Amino acid sequence: MAIQKSKVETFQVSGSRQDWLSKCEKALHNAGFKSVLVNSELSLLSAKISTLTLSGSIKIFISESDSGFINLRAESSANIDNIYALFRSPNNKILEMFSKNIQ
């Protein structure tokens, strides 16, 4: 069984929840994530990534804040029991892949 760690990053954006649901879905596809699942009722997205150097997943929770902004809570979980994890955090890489493709 693989050893995994998690990391959470939160973004605060303006717009509607439905717009960000579709933007996040598009960002996951553009970043190369597979098995992208979207639950619009719960405002939740999940996806998996598996490459030679990286194996993990991401969940994105979309909620409205009291100040009228949209909160995107991205939670990555990645295997850290490989040689590549010694050089660069797999969780940072997963979150970076998502955040670079979000627009």
Side-chain angles (χ1 to χ4, degrees):
M1 178 151 201
I3 300 171
Q4 291 194 333
K5 281 195 176 181
S6 298
K7 184 173 182 180
V8 175
E9 193 170 310
T10 304
F11 307 92
Q12 199 170 50
V13 295
S14 61
S16 73
R17 185 186 299 189
Q18 192 62 37
D19 287 342
W20 281 102
L21 196 65
S22 62
K23 287 179 183 182
C24 289
E25 181 181 12
K26 185 177 178 183
L28 291 171
H29 285 292
N30 289 343
F33 286 90
K34 304 295 180 204
S35 302
V36 177
L37 300 173
V38 179
N39 186 330
S40 57
E41 291 177 8
L42 298 176
S43 297
L44 169 67
L45 297 101
S46 62
K48 295 181 180 182
I49 187 82
S50 183
T51 65
L52 179 65
T53 61
L54 180 66
S55 180
S57 63
I58 189 169
K59 289 183 182 177
I60 302 158
F61 305 93
I62 302 172
S63 63
E64 294 180 23
S65 68
D66 295 335
S67 59
F69 288 99
I70 300 295
N71 292 325
L72 304 177
R73 183 177 183 270
E75 180 180 333
S76 68
S77 181
N79 294 353
I80 60 163
D81 59 349
N82 61 53
I83 190 71
Y84 303 105
L86 295 173
F87 302 108
R88 185 168 181 208
S89 167
N91 283 306
N92 287 345
K93 187 170 183 175
I94 289 172
L95 291 171
E96 185 178 295
M97 289 170 67
F98 168 69
S99 64
K100 279 187 175 181
N101 284 282
I102 194 104
Q103 297 178 16

